[in-house]
Amino acid sequence: MASFLEPPRLRIGEDSEEERRATWLELFYDLVFVVAVSQLAHYLHDHVSLSGVLGFVALFIPVWWSWIGTTFYANRFDSDDVAHRLLTAVQMLAIAGLAVNVHHGLGESCTGFALSYALGRVVLVIEYVRAGWHIPTARPLTNRYATGFAIAAILWAISAFVPSPWRFVFWTLGLIIDFATPISARKLQLELPPHSSHLPERFGLFTMIVLGEAVVAVVDGVSEQNWDILTVIAAVFGLCIAFSLWWVYFDNLGGTPIQRARTEGRIAIFNVWLYTHLPLVMGIAATGVAVELVLLSKPAIALPDTVRWLLCASVALCYLGLGILHRVGVIRYCKIRTKFRLGAVPIILAIAFFGKGLLPVAVIGLVAVVCAMQVVQDLSQSRPTTRLVDPEI
């Protein structure tokens, strides 16, 4: 039962050994992002071209950053009172507005998209002002965040009334300020580092959302086709790709970047962990779209170039992100796994480059084999837990 009025409290004072799980409100909040990611996927599905991919990226970033803002606030200052629940409900309304306006978010619906994003930032500013009011020790950080996010919200609100292309200049400036605000508060973040078990779980849940979209894409692709043996085999390969990405990500997920930031004062490692998740989840979401397009292609005719490149580039982006995370040690630090992740990138891109004329099942099959080899490598390299801290592993 929620308290009527419970001031925000600092949640990072708990020992990192103490497990902290996502709340029911956080899980409910994530549901609106399931819809938003689905709409983004539909946008890319309908715009398979270079300009379409760039549009997908431009629309994906504000959606993802909206989730990041609320997640980091809840990680540090979560409370379960009526005021916080109502503010979260308004944020869900803002994200729903983003989702509704995604399809024409760079055209006729850009005003609604911009105002929805601005509304979400305004609510976040209110949350931080409220937290700073009740927690004096956190006030330097909350004031910095509230100021930066408020400036970004103003720029986005102004953009709604500015004609193109200047509208998108305001969007870009707003996002630069949004992204730069946490980076500029490195010392303040070290004083109030996030909870080391709660935050990785939240990132894992968002990754699960985009992986779920990949699974839905397989089901949709098969359901819209006749039951052809080649299509069924291609669907199995599509599920293998999603399963492989799940395996190599979640088998290596942990609170290492937060613990290192706390013990070594290296906030840069933490920021790499944070920002590298953006291309990773975008790549997973785009992979789901590409798999569906592969399944919808005529099984006995060569896969179209645009679909082949979308599939291979998306999966390659995923492994590039995973390789960076391994290399800097923000997920399980491992030189061998770094080489395998990064080594998969040129191999998959070679499939795109030399795969012209291949059937859909052949292209997706080759990509699935590369993904499966990542899992095989992880299994063959498994070591007892006590060996995981060895930097030479």
Side-chain angles (χ1 to χ4, degrees), residues 190-205:
L190 285 173
E191 295 173 4
L192 300 172
H195 195 284
S196 60
S197 66
H198 175 260
L199 198 59
E201 180 193 25
R202 296 295 292 127
F203 272 72
L205 288 169

Side-chain angles (χ1 to χ4, degrees), residues 142-326:
T142 58
N143 287 346
R144 176 72 64 86
Y145 279 10
T147 301
F149 296 154
I151 294 172
I154 291 171
L155 290 173
W156 275 81
I158 292 174
S159 74
F161 306 99
V162 175
S164 298
W166 293 106
R167 172 183 295 117
F168 303 114
V169 173
F170 278 88
W171 285 24
T172 303
L173 290 175
L175 285 174
I176 290 174
I177 293 174
D178 260 340
F179 276 64
T181 296
I183 296 176
S184 67
R186 289 179 292 180
K187 292 183 179 179
L188 299 176
Q189 288 189 67
L190 285 173
E191 295 173 4
L192 300 172
H195 195 284
S196 60
S197 66
H198 175 260
L199 198 59
E201 180 193 25
R202 296 295 292 127
F203 272 72
L205 288 169
F206 192 89
T207 305
M208 197 69 76
I209 289 173
V210 290
L211 281 170
E213 186 60 32
V215 175
V216 170
V218 173
V219 175
D220 286 346
V222 174
S223 65
E224 295 181 30
Q225 283 278 44
N226 295 325
W227 279 88
D228 182 276
I229 184 62
L230 294 179
T231 301
V232 173
I233 295 174
V236 173
F237 285 141
L239 285 175
C240 287
I241 293 172
F243 188 65
S244 300
L245 290 171
W246 169 85
W247 190 303
V248 298
Y249 177 81
F250 283 95
D251 249 23
N252 297 283
L253 183 63
T256 302
I258 302 171
Q259 294 162 0
R260 292 182 67 179
R262 180 182 290 112
T263 59
E264 303 174 17
R266 301 179 63 184
I267 198 65
I269 295 294
F270 173 77
N271 284 331
V272 170
W273 179 76
L274 166 62
Y275 293 107
T276 304
H277 271 83
L278 174 57
L280 175 61
V281 294
M282 278 198 300
I284 295 173
T287 297
V289 175
V291 168
E292 181 177 1
L293 291 171
V294 169
L295 298 179
L296 291 176
S297 301
K298 295 181 179 179
I301 299 178
L303 187 66
D305 293 345
T306 53
V307 178
R308 186 180 71 254
W309 274 102
L310 179 62
L311 174 65
C312 294
S314 299
V315 178
L317 182 61
C318 294
Y319 282 111
L320 176 62
L322 289 166
I324 293 172
L325 292 176
H326 278 299

Side-chain angles (χ1 to χ4, degrees), residues 104-115:
H104 303 285
L106 300 177
E108 60 191 52
S109 298
C110 58
T111 298
F113 190 87
L115 291 177

